[in-house]
Every structure is written in C-alpha cells, then in structure tokens.
Amino acid sequence: MRTEVLTYMRGLALGTFNVSDEIPRNESAEPLYMKNPKTMYVDVAQFEDNPLINTLGGLSIHAKTTSLSVYFSVDAKNLPNNYDALVSSLLDARDLNTTEGFNDRSAEVSTSIEADMLVTEVTLSYTKLR
C-alpha cells in the first residue's frame, strides 16, 4: 500500500510541497519532516489482525487492517495557500485500490505544534475481512 499511496501523492497538485521516498525516521534526534518542511513522508505499513467471529467448528473471521501515516510540517505562522486542499486530497487516498476488496476505509488527520511548526499526520486505514 505504501507504493500506491506514494504514487497517488505524486499525482496531486502539490504546489510548493514535495514527496519523499524515505520513511519519516529521526536524523540527529529530529524527525526528517521537521528538518525538511513541506516534504511529505509516508511511514511503513502497520498491520493489525483481530478476530471478529470464532465458531466451535474452527471457522473464524478476522479483520485485517493495514494503516499508513503521512507526515509533513509547515510554518505554523504562515500556512501555505494550498494546505487545506492538500490535506483534503490526502484524505481522499482512503479510496485507493477499490479492487482489493477492502470492507472499510478510513482517514484521520491530527495536528500538533512543535517548535513553531505545524506537524500534520494523516492516517489511512484499510480493513479487509478474511
């Protein structure tokens, strides 16, 4: 899914934003998205497999959720003109891979202020019953 999200992001009208292939690791005790404002980083996929239904006959149905987070920072005092449109477009990435048979797709945005920077995290989650 990470590759699909990166490809989708590169197809957006990014304006002054960039997309990096790197994961949002720490470099010199500081996250890359803080060192490189307006550069978006996609974390590696996180997986969660939860049982929904277990039967006495051994049949079980699980919900497998794949989650990805996109991180970027901007100057909190001067938000770029396309900030809201970009976040909205990132939320639309929940609709990727409609042929994969996902039963649920969700997207969530959280923000925080760190050292005069507005850090935005967009979490995309895709759930499939199996």
Side-chain angles (χ1 to χ4, degrees), residues 1-126:
M1 282 304 300
R2 184 174 187 273
T3 304
E4 289 89 345
V5 170
L6 284 167
T7 301
Y8 170 79
M9 289 169 55
R10 285 192 176 90
L12 298 175
L14 298 175
T16 58
F17 287 86
N18 298 308
V19 177
S20 176
D21 286 326
E22 296 182 85
I23 59 173
R25 69 184 193 285
N26 285 349
E27 191 171 273
S28 302
E30 186 176 27
L32 285 178
Y33 56 83
M34 290 295 289
K35 292 181 92 163
N36 303 311
K38 294 187 177 181
T39 300
M40 295 182 286
Y41 296 89
V42 180
D43 206 353
V44 295
Q46 303 295 313
F47 300 97
E48 188 176 341
D49 196 0
N50 294 314
L52 290 178
I53 300 172
N54 290 318
T55 65
L56 295 174
L59 175 69
S60 61
I61 298 175
H62 292 257
K64 180 180 180 183
T65 302
T66 303
S67 298
L68 291 147
S69 293
V70 177
Y71 298 92
F72 64 95
S73 66
V74 296
D75 182 0
K77 294 175 284 215
N78 298 309
L79 289 179
N81 292 336
N82 66 334
Y83 175 82
D84 291 334
L86 180 64
V87 170
S88 179
S89 294
L90 290 173
L91 289 172
D92 289 342
R94 69 180 164 264
D95 295 327
L96 292 175
N97 284 345
T98 57
T99 60
E100 291 290 323
F102 294 116
N103 302 91
D104 186 46
R105 298 157 197 227
S106 62
E108 181 181 325
V109 176
S110 61
T111 59
S112 63
I113 303 286
E114 298 176 28
D116 292 338
M117 300 296 284
L118 174 68
V119 177
T120 303
E121 177 184 358
V122 178
T123 303
L124 306 166
S125 297
Y126 306 92

